Amino acid sequence: MHANTPALLAALALTSAIAQAAEPAKAAPPNKLSASDVIKASQPSEWRPLDPGNTLYMDLPAGRVVIELSPDFAPRHAANIRTLVKERYFDGLVVLRSHDNYVAQWGDADEKNPRPLGSAQPKLAAEFTVPMSNDKHFVRLPDHDGYAPQVGHSNGFPAGRDPKTKTTWLAHCYGMVGVGRDNDADSGNGTSLYAVNGHAPRHLDRNVTLVGRVVSGMTLLSSLPRGTGPLGFYEKPEQHLPIKSIRLAADVPEAERSRLEVMRTDSASFKAVAESQRNRPGPWAKVPAGYIELCNVTIPVREQK
Amino acid sequence: MHANTPALLAALALTSAIAQAAEPAKAAPPNKLSASDVIKASQPSEWRPLDPGNTLYMDLPAGRVVIELSPDFAPRHAANIRTLVKERYFDGLVVLRSHDNYVAQWGDADEKNPRPLGSAQPKLAAEFTVPMSNDKHFVRLPDHDGYAPQVGHSNGFPAGRDPKTKTTWLAHCYGMVGVGRDNDADSGNGTSLYAVNGHAPRHLDRNVTLVGRVVSGMTLLSSLPRGTGPLGFYEKPEQHLPIKSIRLAADVPEAERSRLEVMRTDSASFKAVAESQRNRPGPWAKVPAGYIELCNVTIPVREQK
């Protein structure tokens, strides 16, 4: 439907790098590949499956959100969340906040009878940054960043780092998952989690422990009705979205697992994807940006072949 | 409800500058104001009402989206859209695309019987950039930007400019409204419009004519179910969201107008809002960013007093 109408053409033309897959590549000049061209030409070795021991499935009424944990950047928080999940802490809890252009957040809405934490820790030392030596996978982007001395990607996650302090940290890009906390830096424990649903609130970097990234199903969180209470909280319990369960992929029968793979962010193809977005090939794009901001770099995810 | 529970405290702590209005200011050190403190202390002269001659009301089933047009940056497109609106071009058309972390788009979905354009122009010369002399209101941010030599705000809009080419352009921040086009730069006419619903796709800057900004009601577009077709188009006509009408505020009886005012972006208070977000006051924030990215600067909007 809509084929060849001006409305559709105008609409199609306003496309994202990945979406350009739908467009003919013939007009692209030689040596200029679109992101979809790069993905098509990539080698199987440039992809990795998700590690079932560090992958969460948040099953909502409308489908599954798949979250990859990052134990390199938040070992304590990732471990505590794995404990919570193994003991089924989140099952039956709710998404209780949908703050426009900021975060969707989930956890325990029952203040009178808070759910017991089981064998999980009630408080954890913050992991706002970790030593650069924790991270063996960082590949730096050449592009300038205002929030960090250096930025790049580490094993599938956007990250910043500071060679002066020899620290590194995950960056608050769209879809990143973090740990809600009180005013004390060490007051978070992973029972209250959020995912960024809008423009990257990078000022939160180094102020919150980020633990992972939504690699699939983000639309289930980003399209929720916005909460009309302060900070985007839902005002009525009936507005809460129930969480059927959160499970570690390793604890789910293999037949029920999502079969996703992520492009390795230390691969040549990933570098080429970033370049295809930094300087987009024609025919639609007229002025190349010559730059890409960290959170605009797509980290390709696909069904395993 | 939820008062004083760990879950709520953790949740509340993850706040945005404006949302911090809900938090006590007592712990903020002297001379460090939150954005809400700045807004409270601002002078009436630091706000301006929307110009009814350049304000659109897009009335959707669930409420009103208010769009401020920018004739300084897109005089031809703003004029054509005013013509379309006056002749009720959009009434009964639809939101036909909801592309996650990119754009919501509206226009004519009927390829067989496209709606006639009336006295509007079918094609317009692109307004990707305009001469810097068009813009008398630019106030530069001190912060570095990767996509433009200089960035700042002009009369309520985020903008970039290049003193070498003496050109300036609107920036694709969250909520900005642009004109869909085909591959030809001059193929847009304002019949197909989109609003940015995610992380700023700044690579579109200088590649599309931006015509304005959603100043109210963005949640009506950002929370739409995502389209599952290519590029986020809805696959079935019944998924389209009908547009009741788009009207120029000046053509709506005064009693039915939205009464909004925008903080003047050349005011001292606006500068202070940006600073409050660049280096957030305590007690929650631990590490000041020392920087703000253009699209993270809040442009305050409120009901007229």
Side-chain angles (χ1 to χ4, degrees), chain A residues 94-117:
Chain A
V94 295
V95 181
L96 71 180
R97 180 186 188 192
S98 173
H99 190 159
D100 194 54
N101 193 26
Y102 202 48
V103 296
Q105 188 159 352
W106 58 95
D108 191 351
D110 187 344
E111 74 268 34
K112 288 191 180 159
N113 299 295
R115 188 167 289 200
L117 298 188

Side-chain angles (χ1 to χ4, degrees), chain B residues 6-28:
Chain B
L8 182 69
L9 286 170
L12 273 173
L14 181 69
T15 181
S16 70
I18 294 302
Q20 281 175 344
E23 297 187 338
K26 61 178 162 46

Side-chain angles (χ1 to χ4, degrees), chain B residues 245-268:
Chain B
S245 63
I246 302 186
R247 291 276 180 281
L248 199 64
D251 294 335
V252 169
E254 216 159 321
E256 295 167 30
R257 293 187 195 166
S258 300
R259 298 183 53 76
L260 299 172
E261 57 183 14
V262 180
M263 184 177 274
R264 292 182 189 274
T265 47
D266 56 0
S267 68

Side-chain angles (χ1 to χ4, degrees), chain A residues 34-79:
Chain A
S34 70
S36 60
D37 294 335
V38 173
I39 290 169
K40 270 182 226 157
S42 64
Q43 300 300 310
S45 62
E46 295 183 304
W47 298 78
R48 61 176 174 81
L50 294 175
D51 169 9
N54 276 300
T55 301
L56 303 180
Y57 297 152
M58 175 160 68
D59 282 323
L60 300 174
R64 178 176 285 179
V65 179
V66 180
I67 297 168
E68 181 173 26
L69 294 174
S70 175
D72 287 351
F73 284 87
R76 290 188 291 275
H77 285 76

